[in-house]
Amino acid sequence: DYIEVPVLLKFLFGQNDVKPYAMVGPSIGYLLSSKMEYDLGIFGSGEEDIKDETKSIDFGVGFGGGVTMPMGKNSIFVEARYAIGFVNLNDDPEDTETEIKTNGFQVFVGMTFPIGK
């Protein structure tokens, strides 16, 4: 589990009230926890903490797009993003062959509203 902090550039298109947009930029992730689940059939299954064998920092890129629409003084938006990590997060010195990388798909629906005047 990583907490990811993206820094995205947003490009708005069109002159109408309904505005599509695209985003792209880097992201950095900070390790919160790392667990491995295993199933050994008749010998049982379980979960093991492998935080000591996982890199604590991940670096990647995110990109996506969406659309924003006015709704009175506020606006609503629908957005989708895909993030992909570039760092091999496997930090186990005994396992140099396994490669672990992050990726994720996110969908957002929200409302923006002005604060103050």
Side-chain angles (χ1 to χ4, degrees):
D1 294 323
Y2 284 81
I3 186 164
E4 185 178 304
V5 180
V7 178
L8 301 173
L9 294 174
K10 187 175 181 179
F11 302 95
L12 292 168
F13 303 103
Q15 300 296 323
N16 300 329
D17 287 341
V18 176
K19 292 187 174 95
Y21 58 90
M23 304 169 296
V24 65
S27 66
I28 188 166
Y30 300 98
L31 179 65
L32 299 177
S33 69
S34 184
K35 296 181 181 176
M36 178 177 62
E37 294 179 3
Y38 58 89
D39 184 358
L40 302 174
I42 62 171
F43 298 107
S45 61
E47 185 176 85
E48 182 180 345
D49 185 348
I50 58 168
K51 191 171 183 178
D52 293 339
E53 299 165 2
T54 307
K55 290 189 178 149
S56 59
I57 302 287
D58 186 20
F59 180 76
V61 67
F63 53 91
V67 64
T68 183
M69 299 158 276
M71 190 171 162
K73 292 182 179 180
N74 305 324
S75 63
I76 58 173
F77 67 92
V78 178
E79 181 176 300
R81 295 184 199 168
Y82 183 72
I84 185 164
F86 296 140
V87 176
N88 179 7
L89 301 174
N90 182 10
D91 205 19
D92 183 355
E94 296 177 11
D95 179 8
T96 58
E97 294 182 18
T98 303
E99 187 172 85
I100 302 168
K101 293 186 178 182
T102 60
N103 63 50
F105 183 72
Q106 305 161 332
V107 176
F108 300 89
V109 176
M111 178 179 278
T112 61
F113 51 92
I115 296 176
K117 296 181 181 183

